């Protein structure tokens, strides 16, 4: 989740640049059992989830959809292209096109 956008230095100095989740995390400490990373996703189709899962989450996220086509049906009239799962080769190509490495993405 993106942090708050705070343009005022005075507001930032008063802590408004921290999200409520950051404040909770800081108050409880990173080792608290109340602070966990969620690893089950119901919001997007598994094929769409595959790229951020590889690029940002070290393949730690699982899809909670048991029947993706039924639970996330294709909307008629949209110019859909066939979405393919991301693999390491594609991720390497993406990293090269962004002038970075996959090590930088981890």
């Amino acid at each position: 989740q993106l942090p708050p956008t705070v343009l005022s230095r005075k507001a930032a100095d008063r802590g408004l640049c921290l999200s409520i989740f950051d404040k909770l995390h800081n108050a409880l400490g990173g080792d608290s059992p109340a602070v966990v990373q969620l690893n089950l996703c119901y919001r997007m189709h598994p094929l769409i989830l595959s790229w951020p899962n590889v690029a940002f989450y070290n393949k730690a996220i699982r899809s909670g959809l048991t029947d993706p086509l039924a639970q996330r049906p294709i909307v008629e009239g949209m110019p859909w292209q066939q979405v393919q799962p991301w693999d390491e080769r594609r991720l390497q190509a993406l990293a090269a096109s962004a002038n970075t490495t996959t090590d930088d993405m981890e």
Side-chain angles (χ1 to χ4, degrees):
Q1 185 166 3
L2 295 175
T5 301
V6 178
L7 302 178
S8 164
R9 182 68 186 163
K10 188 175 183 180
D13 290 343
R14 291 183 177 177
L16 293 178
C17 58
L18 291 175
S19 73
I20 193 163
F21 296 110
D22 287 330
K23 291 177 184 180
L24 179 63
H25 182 267
N26 293 342
L28 295 174
D31 296 330
S32 169
V35 178
V36 297
Q37 179 176 331
L38 301 178
N39 62 3
L40 191 58
C41 178
Y42 292 96
R43 296 183 69 178
M44 65 181 86
H45 192 282
L47 293 177
I48 297 171
L49 174 64
S50 64
W51 179 76
N53 194 21
V54 169
F56 302 109
Y57 297 103
N58 198 28
K59 301 178 188 174
I61 309 298
R62 295 178 298 121
S63 175
L65 303 179
T66 55
D67 186 0
L69 288 178
Q71 293 169 302
R72 298 292 184 269
I74 294 175
V75 178
E76 294 297 324
M78 292 294 293
W80 296 100
Q81 295 179 345
Q82 181 62 33
V83 178
Q84 297 296 322
W86 284 86
D87 58 26
E88 297 300 324
R89 187 185 75 237
R90 283 186 162 150
L91 189 55
Q92 292 288 345
L94 178 66
S97 70
N99 294 324
T100 186
T101 67
T102 54
D103 292 338
D104 294 335
M105 292 182 179
E106 294 184 64

